[in-house]
């Protein structure tokens, strides 16, 4: 419950979630993308957008702080790419510890998926079919 006099910030993705961002699934998405292939920060943000996760320019600092934190925990590594044209970019890669964490997240999401499907089935039994998702995945 928000404190008196404080407004709860709600983003357009959901009018009922009392937070500035959707649930914090940034780490598992970054691990998934890095399991697929190495990448630098802005590339990872673009790839997340292709999966329907929107991070605005204001959120890029959050993404980079998360990458640094993941590196400190040994989930990913990074090195500077100075060979390509333009400014040097830090390229991230997943570690074996990160792969293990990704497996744990996948199991967590599978458990969550079962719970969400049960919720939607019960809701649709009372209220009818839920409308299609509002997040639109970009065509590749």
């Amino acid at each position: 419950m928000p404190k008196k006099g404080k407004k709860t910030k709600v983003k357009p993705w959901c009018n009922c979630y009392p937070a500035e961002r959707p649930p914090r699934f940034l780490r598992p998405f970054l691990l998934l993308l890095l399991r697929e292939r190495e990448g630098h920060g802005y590339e990872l943000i673009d790839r997340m957008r292709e999966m329907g996760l929107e991070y605005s320019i204001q959120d890029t600092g959050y993404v980079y702080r998360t990458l640094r934190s993941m590196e400190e925990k040994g989930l990913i590594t990074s090195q500077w790419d100075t060979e390509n044209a333009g400014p040097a970019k830090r390229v991230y890669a997943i570690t074996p510890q990160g792969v293990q964490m990704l497996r744990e997240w996948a199991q967590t999401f599978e458990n969550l998926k079962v719970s969400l499907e049960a919720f939607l089935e019960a809701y649709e039994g009372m209220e009818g079919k839920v409308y299609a998702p509002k997040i639109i995945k970009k065509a590749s």
Side-chain angles (χ1 to χ4, degrees):
M1 185 97 158
K3 291 182 181 178
K4 269 190 168 177
K6 265 194 139 182
K7 287 187 177 182
T8 301
K9 295 180 182 179
V10 178
K11 292 288 184 175
W13 76 276
C14 175
N15 291 328
C16 57
Y17 189 80
E20 293 184 35
R21 291 188 180 93
R24 304 285 174 121
F25 296 140
L26 179 58
R27 286 175 185 252
F29 275 90
L30 289 169
L31 289 170
L32 178 69
L33 294 173
L34 292 172
R35 181 74 166 118
E36 183 179 58
R37 69 175 187 271
E38 296 178 351
H40 60 81
Y42 279 104
E43 176 191 354
L44 293 167
I45 291 169
D46 285 343
R47 288 167 59 198
M48 282 190 290
R49 283 187 182 128
E50 290 172 4
M51 296 180 79
L53 275 80
E54 286 295 328
Y55 282 91
S56 67
I57 290 297
Q58 294 85 0
D59 294 326
T60 57
Y62 171 63
V63 172
Y64 279 102
R65 284 189 303 277
T66 301
L67 287 165
R68 272 188 240 106
S69 170
M70 291 170 67
E71 188 169 15
E72 289 169 6
K73 292 182 184 333
L75 303 174
I76 62 175
T77 60
S78 69
Q79 55 186 323
W80 287 102
D81 175 8
T82 56
E83 295 178 11
N84 291 317
K89 294 178 183 172
R90 191 180 288 264
V91 178
Y92 297 91
I94 195 167
T95 64
Q97 187 178 346
V99 171
Q100 179 58 38
M101 180 63 68
L102 178 58
R103 285 188 188 111
E104 291 175 27
W105 270 110
Q107 184 62 59
T108 298
F109 282 167
E110 187 61 36
N111 296 343
L112 184 58
K113 177 181 155 187
V114 169
S115 297
L116 291 173
E117 286 173 345
F119 172 89
L120 290 172
E121 184 178 313
Y123 178 83
E124 289 173 357
M126 292 182 282
E127 301 291 333
K129 184 76 177 146
V130 175
Y131 294 103
K134 292 182 181 182
I135 295 174
I136 299 170
K137 186 176 173 184
K138 289 183 187 177
S140 338

